[in-house]
Amino acid sequence: MTTTAARQQHEEIAAYLRSAIHRKEFVPGDPLPSESELCERFNSSRGPVRQAMATLRTEGLITSGRGRRSTVLDDVPTQSFDGVISYSEWCRQSGFEPGQATQTVTRGPAWPALAASLELDVGAPVVSVFRLRLLDGAPAMVERLNYPLEVGQHVLSFDTDSGSIYQRLIESGVDIHHATRTIDAIGADQDDAGLLQVPVGTPLLRVRRRAFTRTGAPVEASDDRYLPGTASFTLTATRGNPSPLTMVSAR
């Protein structure tokens, strides 16, 4: 088996296991199929199976095994702090079908907080997108995306219900090199509640992201609000090495 084929196979095995855990075919505390069973199911050698299991361990979904069958720890899909920016890509890698229902796409002036986040003058033109994101057809997250006009022009000419805005920007030559995330909890406002079909004030996981070019110029400021149980975030830290995670007080 070629290296490329093995890589694709371990991704297929990992996606199958994530999806099975999400569908509650395996719940926390349940053992996963053995390496031999997975090898037989996917007509695979042990290498791709072990790589798939290592991926799920890194994501915090299963135990390490250590001579026993790995056991399910959690059934919430995870995102890595260093993972992809694209929600659509994250869904597909996790074995789910992404979707979207665009509410508005507008061009308007940057208000003070947004201008500061994008390092623009107050009133500078920005493009804003307000979308409901779906996970296997069900409401999962409300997305508020904001771009400087030079970046947002690629969004204005794109059908935002057709797929990934991130992929559209990459294909248009926008340099999206790295991002920072600020994660907290917030109560659902009227718009969030209506789209996510929950009462106003329901706690949501909020992820505010700023994306930058290689030279550090901001190209996106976003506010994503996830339903509880839809997503979690994992961070792997090593003793003695600085952690990219910083805890701050909101008071």
Side-chain angles (χ1 to χ4, degrees):
M1 181 181 296
T2 66
T3 301
T4 300
R7 183 182 304 116
Q8 292 172 341
Q9 191 168 45
H10 96 73
E11 291 170 351
E12 178 188 1
I13 296 167
Y16 159 75
L17 291 171
R18 288 193 203 96
S19 181
I21 292 170
H22 177 66
R23 295 192 307 268
K24 301 190 184 303
E25 292 179 18
F26 306 108
V27 299
D30 282 353
L32 289 179
S34 67
E35 287 185 3
S36 297
E37 291 169 333
L38 290 171
C39 287
E40 182 177 354
R41 170 185 278 270
F42 290 94
N43 190 26
S44 169
S45 65
R46 290 186 181 270
V49 169
R50 289 173 177 171
Q51 192 170 359
M53 302 291 267
T55 298
L56 267 62
R57 286 196 295 271
T58 299
E59 294 173 357
L61 289 176
I62 66 174
T63 63
S64 61
R66 296 182 181 177
R68 303 184 304 274
R69 288 193 184 189
S70 294
T71 301
V72 177
L73 290 175
D74 203 344
D75 57 8
V76 179
T78 64
Q79 289 190 29
S80 164
F81 275 91
D82 298 320
V84 295
I85 296 174
S86 169
Y87 173 88
S88 296
E89 184 63 21
W90 167 66
C91 284
R92 293 191 181 100
Q93 289 184 359
S94 299
F96 311 121
E97 183 61 33
Q100 53 278 321
T102 301
Q103 308 303 301
T104 59
V105 179
T106 59
R107 171 179 169 172
W111 57 93
L114 179 59
S117 187
L118 290 174
E119 299 179 12
L120 300 171
D121 294 331
V122 174
V126 296
V127 174
S128 300
V129 180
F130 180 42
R131 293 197 297 182
L132 170 67
R133 302 309 304 269
L134 308 173
L135 188 71
D136 281 349
M141 182 261 282
V142 174
E143 177 178 69
R144 295 167 172 85
L145 307 170
N146 301 281
Y147 306 96
L149 181 58
E150 63 184 286
V151 175
Q153 63 183 339
H154 303 296
V155 179
L156 290 173
S157 59
F158 176 64
D159 177 4
T160 54
D161 276 342
S162 68
S164 171
I165 291 176
Y166 172 77
Q167 190 61 39
R168 166 68 171 182
L169 295 178
I170 293 297
E171 292 173 352
S172 299
V174 177
D175 175 21
I176 303 178
H177 181 259
H178 61 279
T180 63
R181 292 182 175 95
T182 301
I183 301 177
D184 60 4
I186 190 171
D189 64 18
Q190 196 74 41
D191 290 334
D192 300 330
L195 291 172
L196 295 172
Q197 303 171 22
V198 296
V200 172
T202 297
L204 304 175
L205 176 69
R206 179 172 64 170
V207 182
R208 286 171 288 173
R209 183 179 64 247
R210 297 177 72 207
F212 302 86
T213 65
R214 291 178 184 275
T215 60
V219 291
E220 180 193 84
S222 70
D223 179 317
D224 299 340
R225 303 180 184 187
Y226 293 83
L227 278 173
T230 301
S232 64
F233 290 78
T234 60
L235 174 69
T236 300
T238 304
R239 186 175 62 184
N241 290 333
S243 168
L245 177 65
T246 302
M247 182 179 292
V248 299
S249 172
R251 295 184 177 180

